[in-house]
């Protein structure tokens, strides 16, 4: 009983998971912004950005596995791969939004660019949360979810069965092999 309770407490609800997702992802994103700036002073910006994107995706996947989605353990390679795929898809969504803006508006101002980027990031973030919760970390949640309640039919006692024998009747249950009476030798 205690194990089932602790498992139930380990899996957060959708609202709690989303709050944790926002805090972890936002915290890692903020740190990544500072890290790119610092590394870009030592190496080309594109290389710094790629390195920080790789490290921040690994870090956020670990945080999501251990904290956000209630798994409590390390992320598997499968989870890292799927999380990286969702991060790449989110990146593609923001790039597509910015390209669409460039084609739709001849000279968009900084405020409009920021608005489009933030809106695309928010939509991509919501989609990524859904993918992480329902696909990437779903197996972890399924393994930690409590078992379904046992039904009465599964716990009902076996009905006694008697086997007629010329001299004795031997009670049997459905869980035991039939017992044969000893042979009587005259």
């Amino acid at each position: 009983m205690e194990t089932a309770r602790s498992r139930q407490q380990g899996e957060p609800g959708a609202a709690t998971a989303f709050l944790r997702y926002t805090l972890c992802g936002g915290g890692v994103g903020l740190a990544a912004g500072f890290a790119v700036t610092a590394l870009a002073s030592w190496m080309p910006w594109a290389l710094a950005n790629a390195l920080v994107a790789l490290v921040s995706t690994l870090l956020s996947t670990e945080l999501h596995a251990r904290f956000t989605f209630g798994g409590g353990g390390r992320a598997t390679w499968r989870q890292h791969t799927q999380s990286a795929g969702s991060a790449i898809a989110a990146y593609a969504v923001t790039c597509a939004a910015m390209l669409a803006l460039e084609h739709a508006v001849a000279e968009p101002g900084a405020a409009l660019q920021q608005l489009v980027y933030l809106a695309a990031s928010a939509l991509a973030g919501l989609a990524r949360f859904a993918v992480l919760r329902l696909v990437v970390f779903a197996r972890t949640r399924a393994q930690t979810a409590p078992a379904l309640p046992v039904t009465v039919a599964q716990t009902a006692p076996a009905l006694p069965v008697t086997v007629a024998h010329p001299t004795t009747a031997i009670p049997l249950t459905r869980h035991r092999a039939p017992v044969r009476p000893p042979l009587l030798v005259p």
Side-chain angles (χ1 to χ4, degrees):
M1 182 72 172
E2 184 58 37
T3 304
R5 236 185 239 140
S6 64
R7 285 179 180 169
Q8 280 180 332
Q9 291 171 354
E11 180 184 342
T16 301
F18 185 72
L19 179 64
R20 290 177 181 180
Y21 169 80
T22 303
L23 291 173
C24 289
V28 170
L30 187 61
F34 287 115
V36 167
T37 304
L39 286 175
S41 64
W42 296 349
M43 62 181 67
W45 185 88
L47 180 60
N49 188 32
L51 181 64
V52 169
L54 175 68
V55 171
S56 65
T57 300
L58 290 171
L59 177 61
S60 65
T61 301
E62 282 297 325
L63 287 173
H64 293 323
R66 294 174 186 222
F67 180 67
T68 303
F69 297 107
R74 294 192 57 148
T76 64
W77 282 108
R78 179 192 61 81
Q79 290 169 329
H80 275 293
T81 303
Q82 289 176 331
S83 179
S86 70
I88 291 168
Y91 173 76
V93 166
T94 56
C95 287
M98 295 308 289
L99 287 173
L101 175 64
E102 285 181 17
H103 288 331
V105 179
E107 291 185 32
L112 182 58
Q113 288 178 340
Q114 191 70 358
L115 177 69
V116 168
Y117 178 78
L118 290 175
S121 292
L123 288 175
L126 286 172
R128 187 162 188 255
F129 171 77
V131 166
L132 291 176
R133 181 167 168 83
L134 300 174
V135 177
V136 177
F137 296 103
R139 184 171 294 160
T140 301
R141 286 189 6 254
Q143 289 172 348
T144 60
L148 294 175
V150 178
T151 63
V152 175
Q154 293 170 326
T155 61
L159 297 174
V161 177
T162 57
V163 176
H165 188 272
T167 58
T168 60
I170 302 171
L172 301 174
T173 63
R174 66 179 169 159
H175 299 290
R176 293 188 184 137
V179 177
R180 295 186 179 172
L183 292 174
L184 298 175
V185 179

